[in-house]
Every structure is written in C-alpha cells, then in structure tokens.
Amino acid sequence: MVEQTFIMIKPDGVQRGLIAEIISRFEKKGFTLRAMRLMTVDKSFAETHYQDLSSKPFFAGLVSYIMSGPVVAMVWEGKNVIATGRLLIGATNPAQSAPGTIRGDLAIDIGRNVIHGSDSAESAKAEINLWFPEGDKMSDSMRDVRSIPYIA
Ligand code: CMP
C-alpha cells in the first residue's frame, strides 16, 4: 500500500553532516520525498511531538535534545514506507541496530540516535499533521517518476 510517513533527522544528525547520507538511503530504496523543512522547534512543540513518552524518565532530556539545534522534518511516500522506513532506520538503541541500517552505521547512543520515523499509520498521520499543517500543498513534483510502471 502506498502511504506516507514522517521522518526527522535529529539535531545530532544535522550537526554531524548526515543529511545527504540519510536522504540518499531513502531515495535509493525507492521512496519519494514529498515535503522537507529545516527547522528548530520550541519546548511545547517538542513535548507535543513526544507526548506519548511524557511519563518516561528520559522525557525531559529527550525534549532538550530535540530542541538543541535544527532538525530536518520530512514526509516520505511509498509502498509500506512506514514499516520499511523503520527497517532502514534500525532499532531505537544504536547498540542493537543492525549494521546496514542508518542507526547501525551512524550512531552509538540511544540519546543521540540521529533520526526519528513514525511507528504506525496513526502516528504517521498525527506527526505529518503536526509538522506539516499545510499538508495538502506538499510537492507533487515527482509524480512523473512514480508513474513508471512496475509489478506490484
Ligand atoms: P525515536 O525514534 O525518536 O522515538 C522516541 C525517542 O526516545 C527515541 O527515538 C530515542 O531518541 C528516545 N529514547 C527512547 N528510549 C530512550 C532511553 N532509554 N533513553 C534516552 N532516550 C530514549
């Protein structure tokens, strides 16, 4: 099923110069970039994005981390992109992320794990609406590429 997911390159990924590397992995896999914005979020925005984790002991640190510098917010589209995007990203804790995944290749610490990806269709919808409230104006410029026939 063609669907959309929300992907964010976190402040450590931006600071370490990993934007192109991460985008390249999603592009090479065959997914389509539909929206992208470099932005810095404030405390209330970060708390809203991570509201499901508000009871966790690491919540305050996580919010500070996400606020600590610019992030790259993106919407990626494609067949099963929510689950397959999470496979490309790798396990949350980079100590357990398989080599070949983004976190497995590029990160060491769970508190500095370079990228976020929506974990379900519900969170993808909520996160896309939060980060891209203008959603219906997202770029349509790559429709031609996606119209190349393929066997489903
Ligand atoms: P992310 O995929 O953005 O989803 C929730 C985030 O919480 C996760 O990546 C990590 O950045 C962070 N996180 C999850 N577990 C821990 C933990 N035990 N300690 C610190 N940060 C964590």
Side-chain angles (χ1 to χ4, degrees):
M1 183 177 68
V2 174
E3 56 190 16
Q4 294 184 339
T5 194
F6 173 72
I7 300 291
M8 169 182 45
I9 304 175
K10 296 178 176 179
D12 53 324
V14 174
Q15 191 278 330
R16 291 174 54 205
L18 299 175
I19 297 172
E21 164 83 29
I22 290 170
I23 289 175
S24 179
R25 291 183 181 218
F26 277 81
E27 285 185 321
K28 286 178 188 162
K29 182 69 175 170
F31 295 130
T32 301
L33 183 62
R34 293 295 307 277
M36 179 165 71
R37 179 178 297 139
L38 182 71
M39 57 192 284
T40 305
V41 302
D42 64 16
K43 189 160 184 261
S44 88
F45 192 98
E47 286 177 346
T48 301
H49 173 75
Y50 280 124
Q51 59 191 319
D52 293 351
L53 300 175
S54 61
S55 62
K56 301 285 186 191
F58 56 83
F59 182 68
L62 177 59
V63 168
S64 302
Y65 160 46
I66 294 303
M67 291 168 58
S68 67
V71 300
V72 177
M74 298 177 283
V75 176
W76 284 90
E77 184 175 282
K79 189 174 177 182
N80 296 324
V81 69
I82 300 170
T84 306
R86 300 261 304 176
L87 287 178
L88 293 182
I89 289 169
T92 302
N93 186 349
Q96 276 135 29
S97 320
T101 66
I102 291 167
R103 288 170 176 156
D105 290 348
L106 305 174
I108 295 171
D109 295 317
I110 194 166
R112 298 280 182 276
N113 62 357
V114 303
I115 184 169
H116 165 85
S118 305
D119 63 3
S120 66
E122 294 71 37
S123 55
K125 190 163 185 263
E127 290 170 2
I128 290 169
N129 285 339
L130 174 67
W131 291 80
F132 294 94
E134 76 287 17
D136 57 340
K137 297 198 190 78
M138 287 192 299
S139 169
D140 216 16
S141 62
M142 295 180 79
R143 286 280 178 198
D144 291 347
V145 175
R146 295 191 306 128
S147 70
I148 294 169
Y150 68 100
I151 298 167

